[in-house]
Amino acid sequence: MKVYISVDLEGITGVTDWAETELGDHEHAWAAKQMTLEMLAACEGAIEAGADEIVIKDAHDSGRNMDISELPECATVIRSWTCAPESMMAGIDSTFDAAVFIGYHDGAGSDKSPLAHTMNRDNCWVKINGKRAAEFDLNAYVAAEAGVPVVFVSGDEGICSHAKEMVPAIETAGVKYGIGEATFSMAPKKAVKLIKEGVKKGLEKIEECRLEVPTELIFEANFKEHAHAYRSAFYPGAEQVDEKTVRYAAKNVKDMMTARMFIL
């Protein structure tokens, strides 16, 4: 079995402030360590479920966050960025049996996490077909277009609930929740255990977690600054629908993700 693991940082246990997410900041080291432990737990769960090949994407900011020295020998890690539309899902294709998301977070406009955002902090919200979208949505559709179901997600409770709306059978591990600027996190060791067990359970439900890609994909972004909307509307096919909102009707997932590269 071949498993893809996409790992973000804002949804990792305990991570609360933007400083902790930035490579080079003195607060980043402990967060990156916990990110590494949660990734390794996902690998252990996948291997116990039968995985003999794992590809891991360091999918946060620099793409150079985790300590890869303890990776299992069956794993390949993708660091930094390919600069392709797949972004946080670089290298995904139809040869994978399932995908796993670790350290994910709720989307822009949510009050469930002090670090809620969608791809960057410049937008107030992103929608796909009229519904608010998180990075989970974008990446789950990238996987689905390749025929790969997402069977597990860990992160804040907001994204776990959101993922269940899209993929009801998905296994989740909500390791924290947010109120205002604060997070309430479980013990990191407990999170690691839940992630390992959750990945194992998710990989038992591959067929149940298949996501159908909509035939129509209307991508919208509402920005904090009107100038960003004005600039983004110059992308071919995009239209500015009000002072701060841009809309794009995509032909397919790759087209939507290509537009996202230039609009967001």
Side-chain angles (χ1 to χ4, degrees):
M1 180 165 56
K2 187 176 180 181
V3 176
Y4 188 98
I5 304 179
S6 176
V7 191
D8 204 356
L9 182 53
E10 288 91 350
I12 294 295
T13 310
V15 176
T16 303
D17 187 85
W18 292 110
E20 297 164 332
T21 72
E22 297 172 3
L23 181 65
D25 192 287
H26 70 280
E27 294 187 66
H28 176 264
W30 80 264
K33 180 179 179 180
Q34 183 63 23
M35 182 184 183
T36 301
L37 293 173
E38 294 184 16
M39 174 272 292
L40 291 174
C43 288
E44 290 172 9
I47 290 168
E48 290 189 13
D52 54 11
E53 186 175 358
I54 300 172
V55 174
I56 303 154
K57 175 69 184 87
D58 187 324
H60 173 71
D61 197 34
S62 67
R64 298 180 286 112
N65 299 279
M66 294 180 290
D67 178 358
I68 65 172
S69 62
E70 298 300 320
L71 282 184
E73 291 185 11
C74 65
T76 299
V77 63
I78 303 171
R79 303 181 78 228
S80 195
W81 300 97
T82 61
C83 302
E86 292 79 13
S87 187
M88 298 171 72
M89 300 296 289
I92 192 79
D93 60 31
S94 61
T95 65
F96 289 88
D97 295 288
V100 166
F101 294 169
I102 302 297
Y104 271 51
H105 53 83
D106 216 354
S110 168
D111 63 355
K112 303 295 190 300
S113 166
L115 301 177
H117 68 284
T118 304
M119 300 309 292
N120 59 54
R121 289 184 264 171
D122 295 336
N123 55 76
C124 296
W125 51 256
V126 171
K127 293 181 180 180
I128 299 174
N129 294 343
K131 295 183 179 180
R132 285 195 182 180
E135 291 165 18
F136 177 90
D137 304 59
L138 297 169
N139 297 335
Y141 281 136
V142 170
E145 190 169 57
V148 182
V150 181
V151 301
F152 176 84
V153 62
S154 68
D156 59 58
E157 291 183 0
I159 197 58
C160 291
S161 296
H162 183 82
K164 283 281 190 182
E165 293 176 6
M166 285 188 70
V167 186
I170 194 171
E171 287 290 325
T172 67
V175 300
K176 62 185 176 183
Y177 63 91
I179 298 178
E181 295 181 351
T183 60
F184 294 67
S185 295
M186 66 174 59
K189 289 182 179 179
K190 181 179 180 180
V192 166
K193 290 179 182 178
L194 289 178
I195 288 167
K196 179 181 176 180
E197 292 305 312
V199 170
K200 288 172 64 176
K201 290 179 182 178
L203 288 170
E204 295 173 356
K205 302 191 297 182
I206 289 174
E207 291 304 316
E208 298 171 52
C209 292
R210 293 197 180 277
L211 175 66
E212 185 175 345
V213 178
T215 55
E216 180 180 58
L217 290 164
I218 306 300
F219 179 84
E220 295 176 280
N222 178 270
F223 297 98
K224 295 176 181 178
E225 301 293 336
H226 63 84
H228 196 151
Y230 176 74
R231 181 183 67 199
S232 296
F234 284 99
Y235 182 80
E239 60 173 330
Q240 186 171 356
V241 296
D242 63 33
E243 292 90 341
K244 295 185 178 181
T245 308
V246 170
R247 178 186 295 134
Y248 180 79
K251 303 178 185 69
N252 50 46
V253 174
K254 186 171 184 178
D255 183 33
M256 178 179 72
M257 294 298 286
T258 302
R260 180 213 61 80
M261 293 174 71
F262 297 94
I263 290 174
L264 288 186

